[in-house]
Amino acid sequence: MVPWHLKRWGVAGGAAAVIGVLVLALLPAGRAATVVGSVLVLFGSLTFATAAIGATVRRELLRHVAFVNEVVERGVVEVLPPGRIADRLLERIYGESASNREVATALLGGEGRVSNGGDLTISEHTEIDFRLDSVDDRSYQLVMEQRYSFRNRIPTSTFVIFATSAPRLRDTIISGCRLPLFELWFVREDPDEPRFEDSVEGMRDSVRMGMQFADDQGRIHDVEARHPGRHLREVKLRDWGRYLDFFRADGPEDGAVLNRVDYMDSLRIFEIELPALAGDGAVIETILRLTIRSTTLQLVSDGFCYWQAPYPCFVESMHFDTTELHLPNSPEVFFHAKPFAISSAGSPSTWVSGASPSDLPLRSWMLPGHGVALMWRPFKEL
């Protein structure tokens, strides 16, 4: 856009040049008329040319300034650690707050302290399969398989599983865990028949894990899903703080430190050494893909089950097999899948029969705290 003063100069110069031409053409020939006309033509031409050149120069300068700004911004973004950029941006938008760190960590998939993003866990292709199998009138088995393909190669050799029956831990483990790869099992306790320990042991035996990794020579290896066996070890109470920062006195910035002893009966932590899972003395440099399958014992009376993203995941779809879930005194069971995410392709607004498997297309990014809930009702309640 040409500034208003350059526009005025151009218009004034053009008008002066036109008047000078008219003076030369229409007034009787004479020295005075000739001088006046020539001066007007010269002045107008110079003014018009100055305005045109000024507009061109200004336009080129603005173009170069925009280019320089883009190069500088891109260079700053490439050089600074992602966490530092996110912290400054959130502080500018939301104001100063210790809680901004949780937002940044959830958005980035980690602390973001490494310039190349090597400490971020982001699955750019994620698929989730659910199968619900009735055990008796009170309980069912939730068989869940998750397949992750990571945007950045994950430099880790440890996978951790958290199993808890405490609602508070269920809601805080994802934000309190600083490990790149982990899984969360939540088991709602039956007040009439406590069985957290038995349920966890059953889940432990059900674990199947597969992966694709790169070794220290950059070679790619695939490991078929298998049980970790003795390489799945339980973490002792005194070491819980290594995995969850809210069990450390110097951990969370908001000072919400929890006492480990209070959760002795409602939390168990397991770790899997991935090189041992790969076998043959494998050296794991980075993880590219991961498959984790497990079976958890749940209560039918809950009326729902869910999957929650442990780190940023672009979820393609979820597959539900509900053909083996039966409710007492109901000839048929109806289901409704509800995503809670930034955006999604949408889910049917009506309840559908679970007589056949179904797929829910999502094609959406999900951050920690986002996920999908699968709800059910007996036929008589519809």
Side-chain angles (χ1 to χ4, degrees):
M1 181 178 293
V2 181
W4 63 272
H5 59 278
L6 290 180
K7 287 183 177 180
R8 287 188 175 182
W9 289 353
V11 172
V18 172
I19 293 174
V21 172
L22 293 176
V23 168
L24 291 175
L26 300 179
L27 293 182
R31 183 177 181 183
T34 302
V35 170
V36 171
S38 299
V39 169
L40 289 173
V41 171
L42 180 60
F43 172 77
S45 300
L46 288 174
T47 303
F48 184 81
T50 300
I53 294 173
T56 302
V57 171
R58 184 177 186 277
R59 185 168 56 251
E60 289 299 312
L61 284 175
L62 289 177
R63 188 173 66 84
H64 285 291
V65 167
F67 174 75
V68 171
N69 285 340
E70 182 181 352
V71 171
V72 171
E73 290 175 2
R74 186 180 304 167
V76 169
V77 170
E78 292 294 333
V79 172
L80 289 180
R84 186 174 176 183
I85 297 173
D87 288 342
R88 296 294 179 269
L89 177 61
L90 293 176
E91 182 178 321
R92 177 182 176 185
I93 297 174
Y94 295 152
E96 295 186 10
S97 173
S99 299
N100 289 352
R101 182 93 288 272
E102 295 182 9
V103 178
T105 301
L107 179 65
L108 298 176
E111 293 290 335
R113 301 306 183 191
V114 181
S115 297
N116 64 359
D119 60 342
L120 304 182
T121 304
I122 302 171
S123 175
E124 60 181 353
H125 183 89
T126 312
E127 295 179 329
I128 315 296
D129 293 347
F130 271 19
R131 193 179 82 233
L132 286 68
D133 296 336
S134 288
V135 175
D136 51 41
D137 289 347
R138 297 177 59 119
S139 59
Y140 71 96
Q141 288 185 333
L142 173 60
V143 183
M144 181 167 55
E145 180 172 304
Q146 304 160 81
R147 297 180 293 277
Y148 302 103
S149 295
F150 299 110
R151 178 177 179 84
N152 303 314
R153 296 185 174 191
I154 311 300
T156 187
S157 59
T158 303
F159 184 87
V160 177
I161 299 173
F162 302 99
T164 183
S165 61
R168 181 173 186 178
L169 293 183
R170 173 198 61 191
D171 299 334
T172 55
I173 281 178
I174 288 182
S175 62
C177 179
R178 294 295 178 261
L179 298 170
L181 296 178
F182 63 92
E183 169 79 344
L184 172 62
W185 295 337
F186 176 69
V187 180
R188 191 184 303 276
E189 275 284 32
D190 186 341
D192 299 326
E193 186 182 347
R195 50 184 175 180
F196 174 67
E197 294 296 330
D198 292 339
S199 298
V200 172
E201 289 302 320
M203 299 175 211
R204 184 177 184 175
D205 293 338
S206 73
V207 173
R208 298 293 183 273
M209 178 174 286
M211 60 183 172
Q212 182 182 83
F213 70 92
D215 61 21
D216 54 348
Q217 302 297 320
R219 295 169 298 194
I220 307 300
H221 304 264
D222 290 291
V223 177
E224 295 294 329
R226 67 184 68 165
H227 189 274
R230 60 185 177 84
H231 304 300
L232 193 161
R233 298 189 298 269
E234 185 160 8
V235 177
K236 296 184 180 301
L237 178 68
R238 64 173 181 269
D239 296 324
W240 283 7
R242 292 167 45 198
Y243 301 90
L244 296 171
D245 63 0
F246 49 71
F247 285 135
R248 300 197 311 265
D250 60 344
E253 297 181 8
D254 61 1
V257 179
L258 302 182
N259 189 342
R260 289 169 293 180
V261 177
D262 294 339
Y263 298 95
M264 290 178 58
D265 298 327
S266 58
L267 174 65
R268 296 179 68 180
I269 303 175
F270 303 93
E271 65 177 2
I272 301 173
E273 292 301 324
L274 299 180
L277 179 66
D280 298 328
V283 177
I284 295 181
E285 190 74 14
T286 54
I287 304 296
L288 286 73
R289 296 179 182 176
L290 188 69
T291 298
I292 178 74
R293 181 179 179 180
S294 61
T295 301
T296 59
L297 191 64
Q298 305 287 347
L299 296 176
V300 174
S301 58
D302 287 343
F304 73 96
C305 60
Y306 68 94
W307 171 83
Q308 189 175 6
Y311 19 76
C313 296
F314 187 84
V315 184
E316 303 288 346
S317 63
M318 290 191 69
H319 178 77
F320 303 103
D321 186 347
T322 55
T323 56
E324 296 302 320
L325 181 67
H326 309 291
L327 301 185
N329 303 319
S330 178
E332 194 171 7
V333 187
F334 282 77
F335 294 85
H336 178 58
K338 182 64 177 178
F340 43 101
I342 298 174
S343 65
S344 67
S347 59
S349 58
T350 58
W351 292 71
V352 297
S353 171
S356 59
S358 61
D359 292 292
L360 176 65
L362 291 166
R363 296 186 292 276
S364 172
W365 278 105
M366 293 190 177
L367 306 180
H370 295 154
V372 177
L374 178 67
M375 301 170 283
W376 56 85
R377 290 179 180 177
F379 176 76
K380 62 182 180 181
E381 292 186 10
L382 295 178

